[in-house]
Amino acid sequence: MGEFVTQPAGVAGGNTAAVSSEVPSFQPLYQQIKALLTQRLESGEWRPGESIPSEHELAAQFGVSQGTVRKAIDELAGENLVVRRQGKGTFVATHTEAASSIFRFLRVRRNDGQDEYPASELLDVRRGRASADIARAIDLKPGDGVLLLRRLLRYGGEPTVLDDITLPANLFKGFTKERFDVYEGSMYGFFETEFGVRMLRAEEQLRAVAADPVTAEALRVGIGSPLLCVERIAYTYGDRPVEFRRGLCTTRSHHYANTLS
Amino acid sequence: MGEFVTQPAGVAGGNTAAVSSEVPSFQPLYQQIKALLTQRLESGEWRPGESIPSEHELAAQFGVSQGTVRKAIDELAGENLVVRRQGKGTFVATHTEAASSIFRFLRVRRNDGQDEYPASELLDVRRGRASADIARAIDLKPGDGVLLLRRLLRYGGEPTVLDDITLPANLFKGFTKERFDVYEGSMYGFFETEFGVRMLRAEEQLRAVAADPVTAEALRVGIGSPLLCVERIAYTYGDRPVEFRRGLCTTRSHHYANTLS
DNA sequence: CAGTGGTCTAGACCACATC
DNA sequence: ATGTGGTCTAGACCACTGG
């Protein structure tokens, strides 16, 4: 046991003597384990929805106690990289499940409180070059190839959100409207299964804007009507940004829900 | 040791025999400890900013191991009821600290990314009766006495957010504009130190609306301009709602920031 | 039944803060 | 030097799932 250990194992905190001015200057064992697991997750060693080895087995692999592995996995579960299921195992998180996490990246809700999953219609797929703004947002060079999607969300048939989505072209080679239309499920589920791009986290900025003519027609509101503007940058492993999205949303019979805790 | 234990201690999971159809049918020891600690926190046994007993001492009091107390406190810290400080102790969370948690309930940021704490001006304090809507929102009976505050937030002198705040009158007896004006710090800090009401969690609904004449003048925007409308219900211990708030926000040079994770 | 995650213990030692 | 939270261990037992 312990032959797979690539980090100073068995040290139990004895690694105080950092060479020079490093920021952490001390890293708990379970953080090292977590980093190793994250690496293996990112590498695709286990696919989304599959189970990873049991805590016991990982403990043996790394030559540490089960409690230490447990703490590492606890953090991964807290970051939604992984899902624990008692009695069954620990599974790589996936966007392709009807689990409760469907609304993790979808904050637009009906005012009456009913949970309704909207229908998504892809209106347009184009290829283009990143503007300076977009390039800065998703860490590209201006002029890099991007994919431009326009997408409409309908709640109960009512057009509610018009999204403009920008993706780095090199990560989504072979993207076509037809391929998306055939796919059943959420957009992030599509990205995950078809292109291996997993969205883990996102930051959003919300503003109120006046409806421009094109959006007004798509959402069936008057020109100049107030719309909620939601700009999102979504990140994958290593906090690398891989999507910029600008959504315009009618809030006649819907709202954006958020919890502060 | 162990004489303070009020729950089946030392059982180590042996409490399977629930009498009949109860929902949990089994509650981990650390959850019971957590419930006891929450109770003592709510009772005011320790005041905000004060330290609670050490893990070692609590373990002795409850007659359980330190690891079990630790897990209970971990969850309390996760819910921001309590703050851990290595080497110093565990402290009751407070809104009256310039810590990083100042922006926990303040999501309006400048577009340029600079963190600026806005100036707050209380424009009006009135007493009134709860409308049916408000009563439902904060769990009052229609006609119950409420406190109605109007408050303006300025960022760099620029009027940006106009808040209408409704509070149950019985929890805020003796509230006056003068008392607030004298107080230094955030509104929730004021509620906490002056009235013992601690806001722990909030739910918000965001919409885009057109500026009415009064708001337009206060925020120096044109009538009908799009404004971000933020409705909030804030909760204290036991998830009891104790504040309804409706804020209207210009998003010319500001935005509402949110992280999805 | 065996295998998995979940709880709990008792004790050791480390990092940090304070005196 | 002491007391605090933070890490780690080795092992036991429990709850849940599935064959």
Side-chain angles (χ1 to χ4, degrees), chain B residues 12 28-30 63-65 67-68 71 86-88:
Chain B
L29 236 194
Y30 77 89
V64 302
S65 93
T68 300
K71 186 149 188 186
Q86 178 169 143
K88 302 176 75 172

Side-chain angles (χ1 to χ4, degrees), chain A residues 12 28-30 63-65 67-68 71 86-88:
Chain A
L29 235 195
Y30 76 89
V64 303
S65 94
T68 300
K71 187 149 188 187
Q86 177 169 144
K88 301 176 75 171

Side-chain angles (χ1 to χ4, degrees), chain B residues 168-226:
Chain B
N170 62 326
L171 292 180
F172 294 87
K173 289 191 206 298
F175 192 114
T176 63
K177 181 177 184 322
E178 291 69 33
R179 245 174 111 183
F180 180 83
D181 287 344
V182 159
Y183 180 83
E184 302 281 331
S186 73
M187 179 156 276
Y188 283 176
F190 180 63
F191 292 170
E192 172 187 300
T193 63
E194 299 290 316
F195 303 96
V197 177
R198 278 176 250 174
M199 304 303 189
L200 302 181
R201 199 177 71 79
E203 306 229 322
E204 297 193 327
Q205 297 190 354
L206 284 79
R207 294 180 182 81
V209 301
D212 63 283
V214 172
T215 308
E217 195 191 339
L219 298 181
R220 313 246 178 90
V221 300
I223 296 176
S225 296

Side-chain angles (χ1 to χ4, degrees), chain A residues 169-189:
Chain A
N170 62 326
L171 293 181
F172 294 88
K173 288 191 206 298
F175 192 114
T176 63
K177 181 177 184 322
E178 291 69 35
R179 245 174 110 183
F180 180 83
D181 288 343
V182 159
Y183 180 82
E184 301 283 330
S186 73
M187 180 157 275
Y188 284 177

Side-chain angles (χ1 to χ4, degrees), chain B residues 2 21 39 54 105 138 151 154 161 166 184 189 212 236 244:
Chain B
S21 63
Q39 219 173 289
S54 74
F105 289 98
I138 56 177
R151 190 266 297 259
R154 284 179 218 269
V161 184
T166 305
E184 302 281 331
D212 63 283
T236 186
F244 177 79

Side-chain angles (χ1 to χ4, degrees), chain B residues 223-235:
Chain B
I223 296 176
S225 296
L227 295 178
L228 195 60
C229 170
V230 184
E231 290 187 352
R232 169 190 298 185
I233 300 176
Y235 300 84

Side-chain angles (χ1 to χ4, degrees), chain B residues 61-122:
Chain B
Q61 277 186 30
F62 291 124
V64 302
S65 93
Q66 185 168 349
T68 300
V69 168
R70 184 166 184 75
K71 186 149 188 186
I73 296 181
D74 273 346
E75 294 214 344
L76 293 177
E79 296 168 14
N80 298 113
L81 292 192
V82 115
V83 176
R84 324 191 73 137
R85 281 197 252 273
Q86 178 169 143
K88 302 176 75 172
T90 301
F91 300 81
V92 181
T94 173
H95 289 281
T96 67
E97 274 177 20
S100 63
S101 69
I102 281 240
F103 290 96
R104 183 151 71 103
F105 289 98
L106 176 62
R107 308 300 272 258
V108 176
R109 306 268 201 287
R110 289 171 51 156
N111 282 342
D112 61 23
Q114 292 190 29
D115 278 357
E116 178 195 347
Y117 194 70
S120 171
E121 181 187 353
L122 192 54

